[in-house]
Amino acid sequence: MREGLWQAVLGEIELTVSRASFVTWFKNTALLKEKDGKLIIGVPNVFIKQQLERKFNSLILETLQKNGVEDLGVEYKIYTPKVEGGGVKKDTDEDVEILNNPTTKTQPRTNQTSSLTHSYRQGLNERYTFDNFVVGSGNELAYAACQAIATSPGTKYNPLFIYGGVGIGKTHLIQAVGNAILTKNPSAHVVYVSSEQFVQEFLDAIRFKKNTDFAGFYRGADVLIVDDMQFIAGKEKTQEEFFHTFNALHQANKQIIISSDKPPKDIPTLEERLRSRFAWGMSIDMQAPDFETRCAIIQNKAVSHGITLVSDVVEYLANNVQTNIRELEGALNQLLAFCEMRELEPSLQVAQTLIGAAQTRPKHISAKQIIERTAKYFQIQVGDMLGPKRDKDIVVPRQVAMYILRSELHLSFPKIAKELGRKDHTTAIHSVEKIEKESAFDTDIRSAISEIKERLYA
Ligand code: ADP
Ligand code: MG
């Protein structure tokens, strides 16, 4: 019934906040249901829940309003997203019905990506500039070529073909070129499009018989920037169209910039004639930045948040996330938010607990290990924890164990209750909620949780 609503809201929010914020705070959210005049939004953990409540609540409400939801409030609830590739975990006890959840389906991003790039066409995302791009080994060549193009488009490297792995700054850099050109010459017709969007528009143009508009639009560009060229692979008709666009622009000395995750020769089913066109200009292999550059990126981003980080925190982050700058930004954001909420200094220890745990998460731990670790930490017997005792020094550890079962293993509440020998799953719900709340201000509980986790993953 609210089909597409949350998708639309996320699509708009994605345009408003930085990419890293979006990925960190919004990506794994879902509209679960409507209840008592409120939309229940599912979020993966308590940090994200708090952040959405504190920082993004009004943005979310506004965006909902724009999408026609006037009279409903919003409540955030921690939930277990469906996992990709089958293996559906569901909170059977919460009658959670996922109305629409674009980000947890198998092909989650397609819709969002198209709406995103579509708006970008009106203007590039001005967040991506040369000024906030840190230059270092791995990206300096690409940076220099992009600068040269920004200075005199259409003359030197045409086309410029930049390729490299995910999250290393390709989009940032090629958009920075577009932004720089527009700053100098606001009437320049800069067109930025992802190849997916190009394909989609081309198909629409054929379907709605507006092929001439489509061709005209792209052939009228002064600068054409095509991101993620690999997605054009196998689309023969679109490649042919692109080939003609390319020729028209190139002949008129218009600048063409292309990015891809691999070099032209490795894009399967890329037409030979396009391949040879791409070879006319310059191809640059962009590499993940080295350690020093990663440190500089982190320090820069922190400063833009008004925070100066001590060097061991910077180095810890830079060492832990090595190839993907988007993830690096995500880790930093999570750390900063965590510390902000608790009024802590972002220290090495906090970073280790927060990011360290997330990093090593793939390691398999069992419910039994969690219960044993928790009992050990509180120096009580596992048997007591599973038994009927209701003394405070047994009850609290039991609740902490439930909380960790929930946050680390995403078990359903009935399953958590069962693991701890309880019959009634509402006990589990209350326990998890209680610890969630308390850990926000109770340092003892918080350090218990982080220490238990640290040992679990050690
Ligand atoms: P790609 O297109 O290669 O997947 P992006 O350009 O989207 O990667 O970069 C991912 C994120 O990392 C963006 O938020 C971008 O601003 C940031 N980023 C990447 N490289 C740098 C850099 N050298 N300096 C500053 N930010 C960077
Ligand atoms: Mg990109």
Side-chain angles (χ1 to χ4, degrees):
M1 98 248 211
R2 299 252 175 207
E3 197 55 41
L5 170 64
W6 193 240
Q7 241 148 311
V9 169
L10 287 179
E12 277 183 42
I13 289 178
E14 186 165 11
L15 297 173
T16 323
V17 303
S18 76
R19 180 87 77 84
S21 287
F22 183 79
V23 172
T24 313
W25 308 117
F26 292 95
K27 199 176 143 229
N28 293 313
T29 60
L31 178 55
L32 300 182
K33 59 185 169 186
E34 196 182 316
K35 195 183 171 192
D36 306 332
K38 278 185 181 160
L39 292 176
I40 312 293
I41 308 299
V43 298
N45 61 49
V46 64
F47 309 130
I48 293 179
K49 178 171 186 278
Q50 289 173 346
Q51 189 73 359
L52 291 183
E53 282 167 354
R54 286 173 201 212
K55 274 215 166 150
F56 294 108
N57 197 43
S58 52
L59 173 66
I60 291 171
L61 286 174
E62 270 165 34
T63 316
L64 277 166
Q65 250 170 30
K66 273 200 238 160
N67 284 277
V69 179
E70 300 277 349
D71 46 347
L72 294 175
V74 165
E75 193 180 312
Y76 307 94
K77 226 178 157 61
I78 294 161
Y79 91 120
T80 312
K82 289 187 180 179
V83 229
E84 275 185 27
V88 175
K89 296 178 193 164
K90 201 174 173 202
D91 291 332
T92 41
D93 52 318
E94 280 195 310
D95 69 295
V96 165
E97 180 199 354
I98 301 188
L99 296 181
N100 57 70
N101 181 8
T103 53
T104 52
K105 285 181 199 144
T106 336
Q107 286 190 313
R109 308 266 312 158
T110 348
N111 280 342
Q112 282 172 312
T113 313
S114 357
S115 74
L116 180 71
T117 43
H118 193 79
S119 321
Y120 275 5
R121 252 182 50 188
Q122 265 72 272
L124 299 145
N125 185 342
E126 70 257 18
R127 200 174 76 77
Y128 295 122
T129 64
F130 284 127
D131 284 346
N132 61 16
F133 188 84
V134 177
V135 188
S137 77
N139 64 31
E140 56 198 350
L141 202 56
Y143 178 83
C146 285
Q147 284 259 309
I149 288 173
T151 316
S152 47
T155 56
K156 252 191 176 164
Y157 311 119
N158 206 13
L160 174 67
F161 193 103
I162 290 182
Y163 62 93
V166 180
I168 57 169
K170 300 185 297 297
T171 298
H172 187 138
L173 206 46
I174 60 180
Q175 288 220 13
V177 181
N179 283 321
I181 292 174
L182 275 177
T183 309
K184 263 200 303 193
N185 176 10
S187 60
H189 189 187
V190 177
V191 176
Y192 167 88
V193 67
S194 93
S195 80
E196 281 168 299
Q197 178 74 9
F198 189 85
V199 170
Q200 192 55 50
E201 286 182 10
F202 176 64
L203 297 178
D204 286 350
I206 295 175
R207 192 171 315 137
F208 304 116
K209 305 212 167 29
K210 284 191 179 163
N211 205 359
T212 48
D213 289 7
F214 172 82
F217 178 80
Y218 285 100
R219 288 175 207 182
D222 297 315
V223 180
L224 176 61
I225 305 172
V226 185
D227 208 351
D228 292 322
M229 189 50 123
Q230 69 273 12
F231 295 125
I232 208 173
K235 314 278 192 317
E236 278 171 37
K237 280 273 181 290
T238 316
Q239 290 194 26
E240 189 180 331
E241 176 59 35
F242 185 74
F243 177 76
H244 294 305
T245 306
F246 183 102
N247 285 342
L249 291 175
H250 198 269
Q251 261 165 24
N253 292 323
K254 306 295 189 187
Q255 180 68 48
I256 300 160
I257 304 172
I258 296 162
S259 89
S260 167
D261 66 347
K262 36 182 135 30
K265 69 174 173 42
D266 294 339
I267 303 179
T269 67
L270 182 68
E271 266 193 68
E272 197 42 50
R273 54 183 180 171
L274 270 183
R275 221 185 292 269
S276 72
R277 287 297 185 277
F278 294 162
W280 282 359
M282 172 142 170
S283 276
I284 297 176
D285 176 5
M286 223 168 133
Q287 303 275 352
D290 62 5
F291 177 72
E292 269 76 34
T293 314
R294 293 198 300 278
C295 289
I297 292 174
I298 296 165
Q299 202 58 277
N300 256 31
K301 307 257 177 207
V303 167
S304 75
H305 285 99
I307 289 163
T308 315
L309 290 174
V310 292
S311 60
D312 55 355
V313 172
V314 174
E315 285 164 18
Y316 180 78
L317 290 172
N319 265 321
N320 263 276
V321 189
Q322 303 209 337
T323 54
N324 188 328
I325 305 301
R326 190 173 304 134
E327 281 173 13
L328 191 61
E329 266 189 283
L332 172 70
N333 281 348
Q334 204 158 345
L335 174 68
L336 294 184
F338 183 90
C339 292
E340 189 191 308
M341 281 183 285
R342 288 159 183 76
E343 296 180 353
L344 296 168
E345 284 295 313
S347 67
L348 180 60
Q349 212 211 335
V350 181
Q352 279 169 338
T353 341
L354 205 63
I355 284 101
Q359 286 291 310
T360 44
R361 198 139 300 165
K363 190 180 147 185
H364 246 67
I365 52 167
S366 64
K368 191 162 167 264
Q369 282 170 303
I370 290 179
I371 293 168
E372 281 170 3
R373 267 288 155 208
T374 311
K376 199 164 176 184
Y377 176 86
F378 288 103
Q379 301 181 328
I380 60 170
Q381 298 299 319
V382 171
D384 282 340
M385 200 135 96
L386 305 181
K389 280 193 190 161
R390 302 193 50 85
D391 321 30
K392 185 155 188 262
D393 46 346
I394 305 290
V395 170
V396 172
R398 195 181 284 144
Q399 291 171 333
V400 168
M402 288 183 174
Y403 171 83
I404 298 178
L405 286 172
R406 181 72 177 170
S407 65
E408 295 304 292
L409 299 188
H410 306 292
L411 296 187
S412 71
F413 290 117
K415 185 98 174 63
I416 292 174
K418 198 163 160 240
E419 290 292 346
L420 281 142
R422 314 284 110 182
K423 282 202 193 79
D424 183 4
H425 75 262
T426 54
T427 322
I429 298 177
H430 292 143
S431 304
V432 171
E433 277 178 0
K434 177 167 171 277
I435 298 299
E436 222 162 64
K437 275 198 204 114
E438 282 179 3
S439 64
F441 53 82
D442 185 330
T443 44
D444 288 347
I445 296 268
R446 194 162 58 239
S447 60
I449 294 168
S450 35
E451 219 165 294
I452 294 165
K453 278 204 224 167
E454 220 167 291
R455 287 188 206 154
L456 272 170
Y457 291 108

